[in-house]
Amino acid sequence: MKIKSILVKSIAVAAMSVTGLVVANNAGSQTAQAAIVQNDAHVVTVNYVSDNSITVYNNYENPVATGQTLASNTSWKVIKTAYDSKGHKWYDLGKNQWIRAEYVTAGYVAANNATAKSTTTVSQAPTAQTQTQTQSQAATTQTAATTSAKSYTSNATGSEASAKAWIAARESGGSYSASNGQYVGKYQLSASYLNGDYSAANQEKVADQYVQSRYGSWTAAKAFWQANGWY
């Protein structure tokens, strides 16, 4: 589910949009209200290097650390963008895994340019560290896929099967062991969706579930991919 291109919007534009930051006038003073806004980034790269990682929280309104951290110079897909009541911007990486926007840069950023401003359009190429992690995760994925005894038969046939294969070819070249940041396998699913089971059977099953719940069909998912460069 990688993003092929991204237009980074400024905070000001997001705040002024119809779905932007809500501001209420209470007793003559303006108070920002927590709100989900129009998503202004589809991939972000961690650029905060003080501790070589940033903390993941369970939500943006009353954040509590989940115990997860994201390493510097790693890239992650963004599902939602939001502002808390103090005006801080947050990104949801999926399944309520929130990070502060101030610690990341929009898009894929090379390791030696990780501190570039978020308003800059950046390269689509993954970082060197991401490529190293990709090789390590690929080995883990291949081992899990080989040792798993589970089986699954997809009900995608005809045009659905064709659309599914089309997406797999563009996401991973059809490889179950492909990996990029938090995205794993043939369909580049978030590792959190796979719940630690990287077997081919589970990848097929979860991919079908993901597409059905989000798009209703693989043909619809393909159409979205063609229009946006991701699904």
Side-chain angles (χ1 to χ4, degrees):
M1 296 179 283
K2 301 185 295 297
I3 313 304
K4 306 307 178 188
S5 64
I6 174 171
L7 176 61
V8 181
K9 300 178 181 178
S10 68
I11 293 176
V13 174
M16 293 172 64
S17 66
V18 175
T19 56
L21 182 63
V22 178
V23 177
N25 192 332
N26 289 329
S29 64
Q30 291 188 330
T31 303
Q33 304 296 310
I36 300 289
V37 301
Q38 183 176 347
N39 201 11
D40 67 352
H42 293 297
V43 171
V44 293
T45 299
V46 179
N47 60 18
Y48 185 65
V49 296
S50 177
D51 297 315
N52 293 318
S53 66
I54 62 172
T55 300
V56 178
Y57 296 89
N58 63 348
N59 66 72
Y60 69 95
E61 295 179 277
N62 298 292
V64 176
T66 65
Q68 297 172 283
T69 59
L70 305 182
S72 295
N73 300 324
T74 56
S75 299
W76 307 88
K77 182 177 180 180
V78 175
I79 305 300
K80 298 176 185 176
T81 301
Y83 287 88
D84 62 26
S85 59
K86 296 181 180 179
H88 298 134
K89 184 162 71 172
W90 294 76
Y91 289 124
D92 180 12
L93 306 182
K95 293 192 173 182
N96 291 318
Q97 298 175 95
W98 293 87
I99 58 173
R100 285 275 293 273
E102 66 186 277
Y103 300 139
V104 298
T105 298
Y108 290 112
V109 182
N112 61 0
N113 192 34
T115 57
K117 294 181 179 179
S118 61
T119 54
T120 302
T121 302
V122 296
S123 171
Q124 299 173 21
T127 66
Q129 180 172 339
T130 300
Q131 292 172 336
T132 300
Q133 291 175 334
T134 295
Q135 295 173 352
S136 176
Q137 292 179 357
T140 301
T141 301
Q142 185 61 49
T143 300
T146 302
T147 58
S148 175
K150 296 181 179 180
S151 62
Y152 170 77
T153 301
S154 175
N155 59 6
T157 59
S159 61
E160 284 294 285
S162 177
K164 184 176 182 180
W166 186 94
I167 288 178
R170 281 151 184 79
E171 290 294 315
S172 67
S175 172
Y176 288 113
S177 61
S179 183
N180 181 19
Q182 69 164 334
Y183 301 103
V184 177
K186 187 175 181 179
Y187 304 98
Q188 290 294 277
L189 300 164
S190 171
S192 62
Y193 291 145
L194 294 168
N195 292 318
D197 182 355
Y198 301 133
S199 66
N202 195 50
Q203 288 185 39
E204 295 288 342
K205 178 180 179 180
V206 175
D208 281 342
Q209 293 173 337
Y210 169 79
V211 166
Q212 180 60 40
S213 64
R214 181 163 183 145
Y215 302 103
S217 69
W218 280 99
T219 51
K222 177 182 176 181
F224 184 92
W225 200 107
Q226 291 173 316
N228 298 277
W230 63 281
Y231 80 113

